[in-house]
Amino acid sequence: MKALSLATVFAALSGFIVVYVASWALDVDRAAEFQAYWGLFFAATGFLDGLMQETTRAVSTARESGRIGSGRPWRLGTAIGVGALALVAVSGFWWMPLLVTGDTGSAVALMALGLLSYTFQSVLSGILSGLGLWTRYAWLVALDSGIRLLLALLAWALGWTMLAFLILTVIGAAMWLVVLALSSEARSAARALVDVDPAPLARRVGSAMLATGAAAVMITGFPVFIQATTTESTPGNVTVAGIIMAVTLTRAPILVPLQRFQSALIVRFVETRDSLLRSLGVPVALVLGLGVVGGVLAWLIGPWILSTFFKDGYEIPGLILAILTFASACTGSLMITGTATLAREKHRAYVAGWVVASAVAFGVLWLAPLTLEAGVCVALIAGPVAGGLVHVWALRRMAVPASGAS
C-alpha cells in the first residue's frame, strides 16, 4: 500500500506538471487546444473508470466469498472499448475541429485508440486491485503518469509540435501492455474470476460507468461549464479565467490521488461490510481534515503562487482559494461514500448520489443569483453534500448485507 501511496502522489504532481509545461512549450492558442483535448480525454476515461471499479468489486468479492460467476471482464472490456473507438471515429471529425486545429485527423485517431486501450487498462487495474496486488497496481499508475511526464519534458526541451502533446495525452493508456509483458504475476492475475455472470456484470458495469461518468463531468467538466454559462456581464470580482484556474489548482492535490485510491477503498469496504458506516467515517474525516488544512494554506500562500507563476488575470483572493480547497474535499468525501455504496452493491444509489450532486452543483451555478465566485463556491459544496447524503441514506437503510444489485 505504501507503493500505491507514492504512485498516487506522483500521478497528481505529474499531471499538473504536464499541463504547466504545455503552457510554456506551446503558444497560447495551441496550449488552450491541448488543455481542451487533455480534459476531454480524461473526462471520457472517467466513464471507463466504472469498468475498473466494478471489476475490483467483482474480483474482490469472489476472492472473499468464494462465489464464482461466469462473467469475463476482458470480454466485456473489449466490447466497451470497440464501442468507444467506433463512436469517436464516426463522430470525431464533426466535433474535434472545435477543439483542435491543424491536427484533426491525428487527434481523432489518437483519441479513439487511446480510449480503446484504456478499457483494457481499466480491467487490469480492477483485477490487480481486487486481488490486493498493490505493488503491481502502483507500477501501472506510475508508468501511466511517468511516460506522459517524460514525453512532455522532452517535447519542451526539443521543441516538438502539438502532435507530440496529443500523443502523450493518450500514451499512458497503453501501460497495461508493459505491466503484462514485464510481470508474470500480473499475467497470472489477469485470469482472475468474478462473482457474477455476464448479464449482471454488464448491468453493474453500466451503472458504475454512469456514476463515474457523472463524477467525471462534475470534476473535469465543471470548469468548462463555468465558461459556457458565464458572460462578460456576470457580476463578480474575479475573471472567468481566474476562477477556472483556481478550481483546477485546488482540486488536483486532493482529488487526483483519491481517484487512484478508489480501488483500495472498495476492497476496504468489502472487507468491513458489517461495520461499513464506522469504517466510512475514518477516510471521510481524513479527507475533510485535509481540506481544512489545505484551505488554510491556500488562503496564506495561494494568491502569491498565482501572482508569481501565472500571467495577469488569474488573481484570486485567498478566502476564495480556501473555500474552493475545502470544496474539493467535499467532492472527495462524495467519492468515498460512492465507493462504499458500490462495495455494498447499491448500484442505483451510487449512480443517484452522483447525479444529484451534479444536478445541484450545476443548478446552483446556473440559476442562483450569486456573483461568479460565490456561485462556484456554493455549487461545489452544496452539490457534493447533497450527493453524499443520498449515499449515506442508502447505506443506513441496509439492515442486512446485500446479495445483489439494487
Side-chain angles (χ1 to χ4, degrees), residues 18-36:
V18 167
V19 174
Y20 188 72
V21 165
S23 70
W24 290 98
L26 302 171
D27 62 49
V28 175
D29 291 339
R30 295 299 259 173
E33 291 179 7
F34 166 71
Q35 291 185 40

Side-chain angles (χ1 to χ4, degrees), residues 185-220:
E185 187 178 20
R187 291 194 298 273
S188 177
R191 296 188 290 271
L193 301 175
V194 299
D195 67 328
V196 292
D197 292 333
L201 179 65
R203 288 196 300 269
R204 294 177 181 190
V205 165
S207 295
M209 288 177 63
L210 180 59
T212 58
V217 168
M218 185 168 174
I219 294 172
T220 308

Side-chain angles (χ1 to χ4, degrees), residues 220-287:
T220 308
F222 198 84
V224 179
F225 193 81
I226 293 173
Q227 186 167 357
T229 59
T230 305
T231 65
E232 293 183 359
S233 61
T234 300
N237 299 316
V238 301
T239 65
V240 175
I243 200 68
I244 290 176
M245 180 61 71
V247 170
T248 301
L249 293 178
T250 54
R251 286 185 165 208
I254 294 176
L255 299 188
V256 173
L258 191 57
Q259 283 179 309
R260 299 295 186 178
F261 260 108
Q262 285 185 95
S263 293
L265 287 170
I266 291 173
V267 174
R268 168 188 169 88
F269 293 140
V270 167
E271 294 173 347
T272 58
R273 295 168 68 93
D274 295 333
S275 57
L276 187 56
L277 288 175
R278 191 181 312 120
S279 63
L280 180 64
V282 175
V284 168
L286 287 174
V287 168

Side-chain angles (χ1 to χ4, degrees), residues 2 43 53 91 151 166 176 182 247 256 264 273 284 304 329 340 377-378 401:
K2 181 180 179 181
Q53 291 190 10
S91 65
L151 288 179
L166 299 180
W176 65 278
L182 298 180
V247 170
V256 173
R273 295 168 68 93
V284 168
W304 173 81
C377 290
V378 173

Side-chain angles (χ1 to χ4, degrees), residues 281-369:
V282 175
V284 168
L286 287 174
V287 168
L288 291 178
L290 181 61
V292 172
V293 174
V296 173
L297 292 175
W299 194 337
L300 295 176
I301 66 174
W304 173 81
I305 291 175
L306 290 174
S307 63
T308 302
F309 296 100
F310 293 89
K311 301 175 182 178
D312 292 340
Y314 291 100
E315 297 84 0
I316 299 291
L319 176 59
I320 300 300
L321 293 173
I323 295 173
L324 290 176
T325 302
F326 181 74
S328 72
C330 292
T331 302
S333 299
L334 176 62
M335 293 168 66
I336 295 171
T337 59
T339 58
T341 57
L342 181 62
R344 290 305 304 269
E345 303 179 38
K346 302 291 291 184
H347 293 75
R348 292 178 183 174
Y350 177 49
V351 173
W354 277 107
V355 171
V356 167
S358 298
V360 170
F362 293 141
V364 168
L365 184 61
W366 191 15
L367 300 175

